Amino acid sequence: KFTITISRDEDGVFVAECPSIPDCVSQGKTEEEVQRNIQEAIKETLIVRADLGMPLTIATRQVEVAV
């Protein structure tokens, strides 16, 4: 299981990213579409990274910031 983020760009396109996999980003017209697309992007990115002998993921952490 991977955590993803979903946002909308200035054109209304949904953009999804997987913070624990560098450069793993996808787009879609709806939240459902972008979620399906990022799942496929995660799968393909992991395959490529494994083939290249690269680490599959990077460390992510949560930090607290007071404002």
Side-chain angles (χ1 to χ4, degrees):
K1 290 187 179 185
F2 291 94
T3 298
I4 62 169
T5 61
I6 298 176
S7 59
R8 281 183 103 168
D9 69 11
E10 60 277 355
D11 297 322
V13 175
F14 288 92
V15 178
E17 297 182 63
C18 182
S20 62
I21 304 174
D23 303 319
C24 189
V25 180
S26 195
Q27 297 179 336
K29 293 179 183 177
T30 65
E31 285 189 58
E32 293 79 17
E33 180 182 22
V34 77
Q35 186 167 327
R36 285 190 308 269
N37 292 347
I38 194 66
Q39 286 174 304
E40 185 64 26
I42 289 169
K43 187 186 321 181
E44 295 299 321
T45 302
L46 290 174
I47 291 169
V48 170
R49 292 178 72 83
D51 287 347
L52 295 174
M54 299 172 68
L56 298 182
T57 61
I58 59 173
T60 60
R61 292 186 173 69
Q62 293 183 344
V63 296
E64 188 172 327
V65 177
V67 213

